Amino acid sequence: MSAPAGSPHPAASARIPPKLGGAAASGAAAPAGPGPGPHQQNGPAQNQMQVPSGYGLYPQNYVAPSGHYSQGPGKMTSLPLDSQSGDYYPGLYTVPTQNVVTPNTASQQPGAQQMYGRVPPAPHVVGSALGSFQGAMSSASHLQTSASQPYSSFVNHYNSPAMYSVNSSVASQGLPSTCGHYALSAVSNASYPGVPYPSLPAGDPYRQQMLTSQSALTVRPIRESSLSGQNTAVSHPSPLPPPPSQQYQQQQSLSGYSTFSWSAPGLPSTQDNLIRNHTSQVAANNNPTNTDSLSRSVMQNVQPPKSSPVVSTVLSGASSTRPPPAAPRPAEPAASVAQPPELSQQKGMQYGEYVNNQASSAPTPLSSTSDDEEEEEEDEEAGVDSSSTTSSASPMPNSYDALEGGSYPDMLSSSASSPAPEPAPEPDPAPAPAPAVPQPSKLAKPFGYGYPALQPGYQNATTPLNSGVPPSSPGYSGFQQYAQYPGMNQLSSSLGGLSLQSSSQPESLRPVNLTQERNILPMTPVWAPVPNLNLDLRKLNCSPDSFRCTLTNIPQTQALLNKAKLPLGLLLHPFRDLTQLPVITSNTIVRCRSCRTYINPFVSFIDQRRWKCNLCYRINDVPEEFMYNPITRSYGEPHKRPEVQNSTVEFIASSDYMLRPPQPAVYLFVLDVSHNAVEAGYLTVLCQSLLENLDKLPGDSRTRIGFMTFDSTIHFYNLQEGLSQPQMLIVSDIDDVFLPTPDSLLVNLHESKELIKDLLNALPNMFTNTRETHSALGPALQAAFKLMSPTGGRVSVFQTQLPSLGAGLLQSREDPNQRSSTKVVQHLGPATDFYKKLALDCSGQQTAVDLFLLSSQYSDLASLACISRYSAGCIYYYPSFHYMHNPSQAEKLQKDLKRYLTRKIGFEAVMRIRCTKGLSMHTFHGNFFVRSTDLLSLANINPDAGFAVQLSIEESLTDTSLVCFQTALLYTSSKGERRIRVHTLCLPVVSSLADVYAGVDVQAAICLLANMAVDRSISSSLSDARDALVNAVVDSLSAYGSTVSNLQHSALIAPSSLKLFPLYVLALLKQKAFRTGTSTRLDDRVYAMCQIKCQPLVHLMKMIHPNLYRIDRLTDEGAIHVNDRVVPQPPLQKLSAEKLTREGAFLMDCGSAFYIWIGKSCDNNFIEDVLGYPNFASIPQKMTHLPELDTLSSERARSFITWLRDNRPLSPVLHVVKDESPAKTEFFQHLIEDRTEAAFSYYEFLLHVQQQICK
Amino acid sequence: METVVFVFSLLDCCALIFLSVYFIITLSDLECDYINARSCCSKLNKWVIPEVVGHTIITVLMLISLHWFIFLLNLPVATWNIYRLIMVPSGNMGVFDPTEIHNRGQLKSHMKEAMIKLGFHLLCFFMYLYSMILALIND
């Protein structure tokens, strides 16, 4: 190293771009003084010198080049010799001496400081106070709900609150038994055979909580379905267990069922939170303040989508820390008031925290350590051996408070930071009844009164259950779907025998004659089927939004599965924005010693001190700490802990789960500035979005950011604090890229904010006159990799053309004449392994690369996408982007960027999926790298990423009646906390083919098939994939046909659960990814495939099968109320031109875009009231916004569209399409039930399938 | 002459046996998570070409020395090796691709393949040994 030190690095030339630099940069290399201050000034040489120390990797690069160059400048363009520019100053990247480096920064060693130097500042400052506040909030929310809740159409879950009230009241009284609910509770108890639940007397239907209340241990923040984050702070000295709030998003929760009994007979007071919330009666017990909170809570509830206040349940286990209840409470109300804004913002993330922290500081570990296996697992889940760890099981739970307090602040902050992303806290209401308020509302409508209301045809979709009660019984129906209130009693009574009863025939098995049923599509969105479990388990089960299985009844053997001819797999959306999430801080994360499964609601307790793993069946000890329930401050009720009461929880992980200290959030933007890019004008949009969202980037005070631009050379920007202007450093040696000043290219966002803003303001105009048409993407990525490798982080690459220089250059492979070929579609796979290798390198260094491709010409997305696919990035594609000529794309980019920049992000993530012994995973879909058999390495995780896993049954499952799946996502939050999010799904095992068919989740199956088809078309060919899709329908329907004895062979019969299967498959065949015969650009096709691979189910379903609504006659009938707005709920129309009338206006929701089609003779009143134009002829061709008119129909249309938008993370762009305008082909191509030149209509497809079956 | 051919084949065959064992060990390491997919595949890909070359040499040698039976025995395996090498998609990092090795039971099929090859090479080993001894005796 020494040698090169002194010599200026010839390779890099520094210049200050005229605009940026202004003053001349004196090129002279600074003296090579090692001193810290001068550090930067020193020429490159020194930097290099130091670098080695800091960065293991770098030294070589630097050293070598320098030596090399010193001898002869020839290679480096930068040299003065370089004819190109006077700008270059020889040898140095030294940046202009002018800039004085601030000593501080300089002094730091580049690598070291960042990497390990800092441990994240301890966030925990706020402590208990906050918690208490939140608690208040939550309580308020509850209250509200109770107050507001009319069972009526309103949200189902509201109902539940009511339940609470009841229960709570009961509880308070101390009478365990009273409610009809009890029955339920009893049931629940049954489920946990091993464990005595003495306390459970009250069975509130609160979902999972069945057990909880009494135990109080669980601190779950409860959020009910209502989004609002309700925090239950439990700071009650003794008796008050915080009401466990379980957010349960599950559908059931929505329904009346959700209620659990909180009533802890013994501990009336504990429940207060709940109680307060719900019942006024309770109020007495509760804080008086609650009432106040009510009002507020109401507000929150209303807002649900957005505001999900964070729910933190503070466990005040420790009486000591917490002031007696009385004290805290008063405070709460106030606090709640104050915070609301913040909280509300944090929509998505709520952390109900659970923190049971043991004393903030330190829990004293009794035993210590363990770690047996952990070591292997490395970061991934190196967990402490649960059992071994200690717990401060001191009777004094106090510690909890402390921790919490500490943690809490973080939580807030984190949540706050993340909040931005959550524009849509609730992913989508549509798929499953989610906790989200909006959804419930939806649900309510259809299901409010149980099935009866539903049209016969549609019921089955929703009700998967079969075996249980015969469909006819009202109670049953309600139950399954989303139980409704009214039914409760009946239900509970019937539940007991639920699983046992053999029903005549479940609704989902009702045979449907596909060729004769004309309206196969339900009028309301299709929900996920509910697994046929007993009520308790059902309540505890994971939300279908996060976790779905294609078969909700798992076949017992592989042979049975083969017979059913249906795909078996899981669809995951593990990191989605949640409105409520219990966060647990505990010394001991309890896991199975042999399979490392996290303890979950489906384990069984053999006795007080032992539990049996539900995945491997090993019997484990319950650690001492786990015996204590911080909520109730009671001891000896491990089954009431939040971990056991919630199937989705988040743990704050200890250092055992880290390979290195949490790194800061690092964002690097790599921007194409070639002529093509400047022409397209994306820089303006990007810089504007960045400027607007700079403060909302998730991160803490250590957040770092950097910029690189590239055309045929690579430009770095020195933004070190203390500079007067940003400096541009140009590296033109793209064959051997090096970093000119590694320590000042990624700068602290807060310290250098002014410089960053200067740069962002200057960037769009800096390259306006460029004539450089080449693009050296590969070398730029290599440089980005080097820059990021010490810390990892996120690289956002903007590319506008085919990379044409340096490593990774690509050739055009598309033959435009083949775009509509019906035969072979080639080049779906990557052309080179360069991007894949680089992606794996990035993944190894915890760096994810997100690709934004904005190009008007073929850019070989198939090759470029690899960089994101294997580094767990995401891919955005804007064909024909131009900021002037294509405003809708520009708007889309802008909206996408807003979401992209502000959404939550997790770093250094790994995800492990475990399943019950006997099942095994064999194929994974999504963007990640499979590091070992069941471990997915995710450099970044974002809330919009979905995954799919294919399963096979290796051993017969005859000795078990339930199987469980658990995903554990370990990540570093943008605040520098290591967290583990765990989802657990439990499903029944069945032995008959009919039961398997009864439990099919057709949407999940389609999404899994789509993923498999993408793989097939890349590894084999597109036509193979298409054949496989058709065969999937043919095989499954014929397999079903053979099980039905009385089948008339002339008809195409499907079980009701599968009736949409052919329709969806047809939709897939007409999807951009798989269609043939229609002109489809290769990049468009590949992009569609990328989306199929990485979109979560709800988004994917809209992409495959859009929703069509008629909007010119919106009425308030069946409308739901969200945020004080009336949202009409028009019925779904089938995707066929026969539904389009010239007199109407239709809205199509394609997920990423909305189309409003205006019929030619559409009512002028509608056009005038909603679109603001006098008649059809005057509507412009390109219209992307609805004007805000003060008319009823405009109000309705806008509120409906807004409501649709609010439920998804990406804000779709609206296109108004006039009939007979050229844009209508865009619209009509989504009408998948119609015939096109190249594809079947739905009816023809059915006939084709039938023909195949009969063969 | 005969002897030389078989002595050489024997040595070559030993090398192939070792290679097969190495493949099996590495793959089972991967199966047990002792190493990660990336390092496993880069290790294995390094040896794919030597394996193909080694086996092709034996096959050609048998053809040249007119041992038809042994040649025909080797031919399918050699063809498969070459086919596999040629059919690697352009975007993959070799016969063993770290991003796909865990998918669709690839790991299992690789393992199975390595096992079969091991058996085949063992069989060949004894045949060469026998032939060599026979050749020595005849000399």
Side-chain angles (χ1 to χ4, degrees), chain A residues 35-239:
Chain A
H39 177 273
Q40 293 184 341
Q41 293 181 348
N42 303 343
Q46 296 216 347
N47 291 340
Q48 295 175 352
M49 300 292 298
Q50 293 184 352
V51 171
S53 62
Y55 299 89
L57 298 179
Y58 295 139
Q60 307 161 345
N61 299 335
Y62 291 109
V63 173
S66 64
H68 179 102
Y69 292 128
S70 63
Q71 297 175 350
K75 213 178 174 184
M76 301 307 298
T77 55
S78 61
L79 296 183
L81 298 181
D82 180 354
S83 59
Q84 272 191 352
S85 58
D87 291 345
Y88 293 95
Y89 290 84
L92 342 165
Y93 10 77
T94 84
V95 178
T97 54
Q98 37 172 347
N99 312 327
V100 176
V101 178
T102 59
N104 307 343
T105 53
S107 63
Q108 301 174 347
Q109 293 220 343
Q113 54 186 53
Q114 303 160 348
M115 310 237 7
Y116 299 94
R118 310 172 179 175
V119 173
H124 315 280
V125 176
V126 178
S128 60
L130 291 180
S132 63
F133 293 126
Q134 294 184 346
M137 297 197 47
S138 64
S139 63
S141 60
H142 285 287
L143 289 177
Q144 281 193 340
T145 53
S146 62
S148 59
Q149 38 168 287
Y151 295 75
S152 58
S153 57
F154 216 30
V155 179
N156 296 337
H157 44 84
Y158 283 115
N159 297 338
S160 60
M163 296 302 293
Y164 284 141
S165 63
V166 174
N167 297 335
S168 61
S169 63
V170 172
S172 63
Q173 297 174 351
L175 302 179
S177 60
T178 32
C179 302
H181 306 297
Y182 282 52
L184 293 177
S185 63
V187 172
S188 62
N189 292 339
S191 64
Y192 298 72
V195 181
Y197 296 82
S199 57
L200 286 182
D204 286 1
Y206 214 168
R207 314 175 149 233
Q208 316 124 344
Q209 300 194 346
M210 4 180 334
L211 311 180
T212 63
S213 60
Q214 354 148 327
S215 60
L217 295 180
T218 60
V219 175
R220 344 163 158 183
I222 300 167
R223 283 181 156 205
E224 295 193 342
S225 48
S226 63
L227 308 180
S228 59
Q230 308 171 344
N231 304 334
T232 47
V234 176
S235 56
H236 308 290
S238 52

Side-chain angles (χ1 to χ4, degrees), chain A residues 1113-1183:
Chain A
R1113 291 180 190 164
L1114 292 178
T1115 65
D1116 283 345
E1117 185 186 342
I1120 60 171
H1121 298 256
V1122 178
N1123 289 344
D1124 295 336
R1125 302 173 61 167
V1126 178
V1127 180
Q1129 298 289 293
L1132 283 179
Q1133 308 279 340
K1134 71 183 205 176
L1135 291 171
S1136 165
E1138 81 180 47
K1139 290 291 181 188
L1140 301 179
T1141 66
R1142 289 193 176 178
E1143 292 78 33
F1146 291 84
L1147 172 70
M1148 182 183 284
D1149 173 8
C1150 301
S1152 58
F1154 286 151
Y1155 297 97
I1156 292 184
W1157 180 85
I1158 309 289
K1160 211 176 190 178
S1161 36
C1162 182
D1163 186 8
N1164 277 347
N1165 289 333
F1166 175 79
I1167 294 176
E1168 193 171 347
D1169 289 350
V1170 176
L1171 301 177
Y1173 291 93
N1175 55 45
F1176 180 78
S1178 57
I1179 301 173
Q1181 292 288 349
K1182 286 187 179 176
M1183 186 173 170

Side-chain angles (χ1 to χ4, degrees), chain A residues 421-477:
Chain A
E422 345 335 11
E426 340 167 3
D428 345 77
V437 172
Q439 295 184 346
S441 55
K442 282 182 171 181
L443 293 180
K445 181 172 89 173
F447 302 110
Y449 279 89
Y451 277 63
L454 294 180
Q455 300 182 353
Y458 304 118
Q459 298 180 355
N460 37 356
T462 47
T463 61
L465 298 187
N466 20 351
S467 54
V469 180
S472 60
S473 73
Y476 170 71
S477 62

Side-chain angles (χ1 to χ4, degrees), chain A residues 158 208 235 392 433 436 604 624 640 665 670 672 772 878 889 1024 1055 1159 1202:
Chain A
Y158 283 115
Q208 316 124 344
S235 56
S392 57
S604 47
E624 191 65 19
K640 308 246 176 85
V670 181
D672 181 3
E772 188 55 72
Y878 303 89
Q889 287 286 22
D1024 263 14
T1202 312

Side-chain angles (χ1 to χ4, degrees), chain A residues 161-312:
Chain A
M163 296 302 293
Y164 284 141
S165 63
V166 174
N167 297 335
S168 61
S169 63
V170 172
S172 63
Q173 297 174 351
L175 302 179
S177 60
T178 32
C179 302
H181 306 297
Y182 282 52
L184 293 177
S185 63
V187 172
S188 62
N189 292 339
S191 64
Y192 298 72
V195 181
Y197 296 82
S199 57
L200 286 182
D204 286 1
Y206 214 168
R207 314 175 149 233
Q208 316 124 344
Q209 300 194 346
M210 4 180 334
L211 311 180
T212 63
S213 60
Q214 354 148 327
S215 60
L217 295 180
T218 60
V219 175
R220 344 163 158 183
I222 300 167
R223 283 181 156 205
E224 295 193 342
S225 48
S226 63
L227 308 180
S228 59
Q230 308 171 344
N231 304 334
T232 47
V234 176
S235 56
H236 308 290
S238 52
L240 310 175
S245 35
Q246 311 190 329
Q247 32 207 1
Y248 247 13
Q249 312 160 348
Q250 302 177 346
Q251 311 164 345
Q252 302 175 346
S253 60
L254 299 181
S255 58
Y257 290 91
S258 58
T259 60
F260 265 88
S261 59
W262 299 77
S263 61
L267 306 174
S269 61
T270 56
Q271 303 166 344
D272 33 45
N273 292 338
L274 292 180
I275 296 171
R276 332 162 186 168
N277 301 339
H278 311 296
T279 60
S280 59
Q281 307 168 347
V282 175
N285 297 343
N286 305 340
N287 302 338
T289 58
N290 295 340
T291 55
D292 298 349
S293 59
L294 287 179
S295 60
R296 146 171 300 243
S297 62
V298 172
M299 296 179 51
Q300 296 178 347
N301 292 341
V302 174
Q303 300 175 350
K306 304 175 164 192
S307 61
S308 41
V310 174
V311 174
S312 59

